[in-house]
Amino acid sequence: MTLDRADSPDENVAWKHDGVRVIAADQLDPNTAQTPGMDRKAAINFARVGAQKLWAGTVHIHADAKTGAHHHGPLESVIYVVKGRARMRWGNALEFTAEAGPGDFIYVPPYVPHQEINASATETLECVLCRSDGEAVAVNVDIEPVEKPETVRWIDPTHPHG
């Protein structure tokens, strides 16, 4: 296997500043797209590390709080719940709902209107968030939600029986 930067000993030096980056927890950047009800902080994006195809950071939702309805344009999003209980609502009238806890992953497809809710009245919801582009996109939308959303259990099409 041949690596572009390792063709000669002198080229290997370029990896020093163009290779692996470690972003310390106290260096996360709050200067990113925000949605009412949550605090997002960027760790990895184009501006910070030159990421071309992803954005990663943290999101905290305070106890008993919920975000406004929003979507992320053409981007795919993955949310990993670190601490707390996340209740997701989605759809044109936020008519569907599901919950996730520590260790669970949530996938949000492009353009899907959704709302994150902290299901706990006493504990902050802490998550790691990754998106499929180096720039953060958050489009806030004005949606009149249905009164009682339908609970949806996800069924893995590759393992439909568990």
Side-chain angles (χ1 to χ4, degrees):
M1 180 167 100
T2 304
L3 300 176
D4 294 337
R5 301 238 180 185
D7 290 341
S8 71
D10 293 334
E11 289 294 320
N12 202 24
V13 174
W15 287 121
K16 180 177 180 179
H17 297 292
D18 293 335
V20 172
R21 311 276 181 23
V22 174
I23 310 304
D26 64 353
Q27 294 178 337
L28 301 182
D29 184 4
N31 186 24
T32 187
Q34 298 293 332
T35 298
M38 68 170 33
D39 298 317
R40 286 189 192 99
K41 292 185 179 178
I44 308 297
N45 61 14
F46 179 77
R48 301 196 81 204
V49 300
Q52 300 290 315
K53 297 179 182 179
L54 62 87
W55 183 101
T58 61
V59 61
H60 290 170
I61 302 174
H62 299 287
D64 210 25
K66 62 184 176 185
T67 70
H70 62 284
H71 68 77
H72 301 289
L75 308 184
E76 294 177 288
S77 298
V78 173
I79 302 167
Y80 176 77
V81 180
V82 175
K83 178 182 175 190
R85 188 106 191 124
R87 180 175 300 129
M88 298 292 292
R89 287 187 69 176
W90 69 93
N92 288 329
L94 303 177
E95 65 270 29
F96 307 112
T97 189
E99 290 196 7
D104 292 343
F105 287 85
I106 301 165
Y107 171 69
V108 182
Y111 296 104
V112 172
H114 62 282
Q115 175 185 51
E116 291 100 337
I117 300 168
N118 184 340
S120 171
T122 59
E123 186 177 352
T124 299
L125 172 60
E126 299 178 11
C127 302
V128 173
L129 172 61
C130 297
R131 295 218 187 91
S132 61
D133 190 76
E135 294 295 325
V137 173
V139 179
N140 296 320
V141 293
D142 188 18
I143 290 179
E144 185 66 36
V146 297
E147 189 65 31
K148 292 195 177 229
E150 174 187 346
T151 300
V152 177
R153 182 180 170 274
W154 181 69
I155 298 171
D156 178 353
T158 60
H159 304 93
H161 303 292

